Amino acid sequence: MAAAPVEAVAPPVAPAPAPAWEPATPAATTPAAGVAPAEETLLLDAAVVPQVMDYAVLDPDEFERAIAELCVRDGCTDVEVVGGAGDLGADVLAVAPSGHRLVVQCKRYGEGNRVGSQDLQRFGGTCFTVHEADIAVLVTTADFTAPALEYAEQCGIVCMDAEALTAWHLGTGPSPWETSYEA
């Protein structure tokens, strides 16, 4: 399957707020004409609070593309969606803002399913040797088993569960290349 380059596109949701570690810009204190101060505050808050995207409702191809778009949004270059039959564990390839080669495996799992150690072992067997990753990431719409997390930490694979993915999407948490393990 040929790699599909990802172009920067306008995100389908409102822009993310400044990360929690950066000071927020204070809201206007003068009410708009015809709007009560309390109503204006609600309008301002609604304008800056991004929508939470439900990645679990996307099909696998859409999920891979959505992860690639997050990479583009956050400064990665040479972003390609390469997932599909014969991908050898890589769904998204990119160059992180730091210049490191990023290899991402996407697992869109339903509620109640968790990424297990076998999933991590398969990815771990190819991400560094075949795909030459500097940073290997497995991102999921679900959670990880304890053995999977242990394996990932031993091998230097970054695990992003549904909660971490939402934080990345909203800009309230780090991108995966900002949380990499030292293998």
Side-chain angles (χ1 to χ4, degrees):
M1 177 176 193
V6 177
E7 297 177 18
V9 294
V13 296
W21 55 88
E22 293 180 12
T25 305
T29 55
T30 306
V35 178
E39 290 178 74
E40 179 171 306
T41 300
L42 292 175
L43 292 173
L44 289 173
D45 291 345
V48 296
V49 176
Q51 298 172 356
V52 176
M53 184 166 186
D54 186 358
Y55 288 99
V57 301
L58 302 177
D59 70 34
D61 292 335
E62 291 170 332
F63 181 54
E64 291 170 5
R65 183 134 185 103
I67 297 305
E69 288 175 0
L70 284 175
C71 292
V72 169
R73 180 198 76 184
D74 290 349
C76 288
T77 58
D78 299 329
V79 179
E80 294 179 288
V81 176
V82 295
D87 65 17
L88 297 175
D91 293 320
V92 178
L93 301 175
V95 177
S98 63
H100 293 96
R101 182 168 174 78
L102 182 68
V103 177
V104 183
Q105 170 72 56
C106 301
K107 293 287 185 191
R108 190 199 52 81
Y109 282 177
E111 192 173 326
N113 291 329
R114 297 190 302 165
V115 177
S117 62
Q118 288 183 350
D119 294 315
L120 267 294
Q121 290 170 23
R122 279 191 293 272
F123 181 52
T126 61
C127 62
F128 297 110
T129 57
V130 174
H131 299 293
E132 299 178 345
D134 295 316
I135 302 169
V137 180
L138 199 148
V139 60
T140 184
T141 54
D143 200 0
F144 295 89
T145 64
L149 291 172
E150 289 172 18
Y151 178 84
E153 188 169 358
Q154 290 172 356
C155 296
I157 299 171
V158 176
C159 291
M160 290 199 92
D161 61 14
E163 184 177 332
L165 173 57
T166 297
W168 178 26
H169 167 82
L170 294 174
T172 59
S175 59
W177 51 89
E178 295 170 328
T179 60
S180 64
Y181 298 119
E182 292 299 322

